[in-house]
Amino acid sequence: MSGAASDAPAGHKDYEGSKLGMWLFLFTEILLFGGLFILYSAYWARYTADFHRGGQMLNLGIGVANTVVLLTSSMTVAISVSAMQQGNRRLSIWCLAATVLLGLVFLGNKAIEWSAEIGEGLYPNSPELLARPHGEQLFFGLYYSMTGLHGLHVIAGIAVLSFMLNSIRRNTITRTDYGRLENAGLYWHLVDVIWIFLLPLFYLSA
Amino acid sequence: MEHAEPHAHIVPYGTFVRVWLLLLFLTAALVVTAKAYHEAMSVYAMLVITPLKAGLVFFYFMHLKYEKPFLKSMVLMTLALLVLFIGFLFLDLSYR
């Protein structure tokens, strides 16, 4: 290892360090949503029957469909990272593009779902909702804020993955330098994990 | 191979596909249990199946299985902290 090129600071990559940093950021995300899960649990324990009725008003079909979409997108981004590590740039690009597309499908479903609910007058502070029991108002408040915050994470994830797609195209993510792609994938997987918890909390609320 | 990562563990595609199928199966099991058996059963189904699904994503999709014990223990501590908080919440609720 001689020569200026290998010692140049610009060429230095701390693979382990950047992955650890990404995980630390994910911990803050886990605790952010964790706080909301605790809030949900506290109100669920107090208004169990209202939460159950609220859950039955949601569209379970769309909830499950979006779960399948996100689980599939998690698999495609995992394959994309594996493909890049093995030097299969083409497969990596296709799987990453599929992930972005599935993310957009998720948002499309979300838009259809929210429009239908808002159309029925079920949105925070709506006259329709204010006439309902207090627990149902809280349920829908939590529903919009938690799935809304999750939706923002999906949008952020799509932006990050699109950026990675462009980096692969420009060859700044390669077989030997794929740390950023892997970290972007970690973020997308966490967005998937959060949705795994949101499905039973809202759509299957007992 | 100037910046090669010899320690990086490459997971075969088949593993991801199998984990994905298992996740789909668990989702179906969760929905069927919640809808068919109702109330108490669905709470237990949620408490068992949902963390299992999250565990599969963490372990396989997020490569946690192949990480060093240091990172594994950090993730464990974060999740334990959250579980502890939720435990305190229900302790508080039940003695109110």
Side-chain angles (χ1 to χ4, degrees):
Chain A
M1 293 293 274
S2 62
S6 59
D7 299 317
H12 174 74
K13 297 268 181 185
D14 185 353
Y15 174 75
E16 288 292 329
S18 63
K19 185 153 69 179
L20 182 63
M22 190 64 206
W23 272 100
L24 285 174
F25 169 64
L26 295 186
F27 292 162
T28 71
E29 293 276 36
I30 290 171
L31 294 179
L32 166 70
F33 277 93
L36 290 168
F37 290 158
I38 289 171
L39 185 68
Y40 175 97
S41 307
Y43 282 129
W44 171 79
R46 191 158 168 190
Y47 299 102
T48 309
D50 286 349
F51 271 45
H52 182 58
R53 268 197 304 281
Q56 285 175 328
M57 284 193 266
L58 298 182
N59 190 331
L60 180 62
I62 289 191
V64 172
N66 263 349
T67 304
V68 173
V69 166
L70 273 198
L71 289 176
T72 309
S73 73
S74 229
M75 176 188 68
T76 53
V77 79
I79 291 176
S80 174
V81 174
S82 245
M84 184 49 78
Q85 289 171 330
Q86 294 169 57
N88 192 342
R89 185 169 171 269
R90 208 179 144 80
L91 181 65
S92 182
I93 288 177
W94 275 109
C95 281
L96 199 54
T99 310
V100 170
L101 193 68
L102 288 166
L104 293 171
V105 169
F106 178 92
L107 289 178
N109 281 339
K110 193 98 265 176
I112 293 169
E113 185 186 22
W114 274 28
S115 320
E117 280 146 7
I118 291 169
E120 287 169 31
L122 294 171
Y123 54 92
N125 263 343
S126 70
E128 164 74 20
L129 202 55
L130 288 177
R132 290 181 171 276
H134 194 213
E136 284 183 30
Q137 294 173 30
L138 285 167
F139 177 85
F140 276 98
L142 286 166
Y143 165 72
Y144 280 111
S145 42
M146 287 171 78
T147 61
L149 186 62
H150 177 265
L152 288 179
H153 280 76
V154 172
I155 293 171
I158 289 172
V160 170
L161 292 178
S162 306
F163 192 68
M164 295 305 138
L165 204 52
N166 194 40
S167 295
I168 298 177
R169 239 173 27 82
R170 287 175 32 237
N171 280 322
T172 50
I173 289 177
T174 60
R175 178 180 191 163
T176 50
D177 184 10
Y178 52 78
R180 280 190 299 152
L181 177 64
E182 200 176 11
N183 287 343
L186 284 176
Y187 181 77
W188 190 257
H189 292 308
L190 192 83
V191 170
D192 181 33
V193 167
I194 291 163
W195 184 260
I196 285 175
F197 283 94
L198 292 181
L199 174 79
L201 283 189
F202 289 107
Y203 297 87
L204 301 171
S205 184
Chain B
M1 296 289 280
E2 49 200 314
H3 296 302
E5 300 291 344
H7 52 274
H9 183 280
I10 300 173
V11 185
Y13 307 137
T15 306
F16 292 136
V17 175
R18 278 195 294 276
V19 169
W20 173 67
L21 288 172
L22 193 54
L23 285 167
L24 293 183
F25 170 75
L26 287 173
T27 304
L30 178 71
V31 174
V32 168
T33 314
K35 284 289 139 186
Y37 299 96
H38 244 40
E39 307 301 297
M41 267 302 280
S42 71
V43 175
Y44 288 116
M46 194 223 130
L47 288 177
V48 173
I49 295 176
T50 309
L52 194 61
K53 284 169 71 185
L56 283 171
V57 174
F58 270 99
F59 244 60
Y60 291 96
F61 285 174
M62 297 174 88
H63 286 232
L64 202 56
K65 186 178 180 213
Y66 314 100
E67 299 293 351
K68 296 187 178 82
F70 173 64
L71 185 56
K72 279 182 182 155
S73 56
M74 278 178 73
V75 175
L76 187 71
M77 276 194 286
T78 306
L79 296 177
L81 186 70
L82 184 58
V83 170
L84 192 70
F85 273 127
I86 294 176
F88 276 140
L89 169 84
F90 280 99
L91 205 63
D92 179 58
L93 287 172
S94 54
Y95 288 99
R96 219 159 247 272

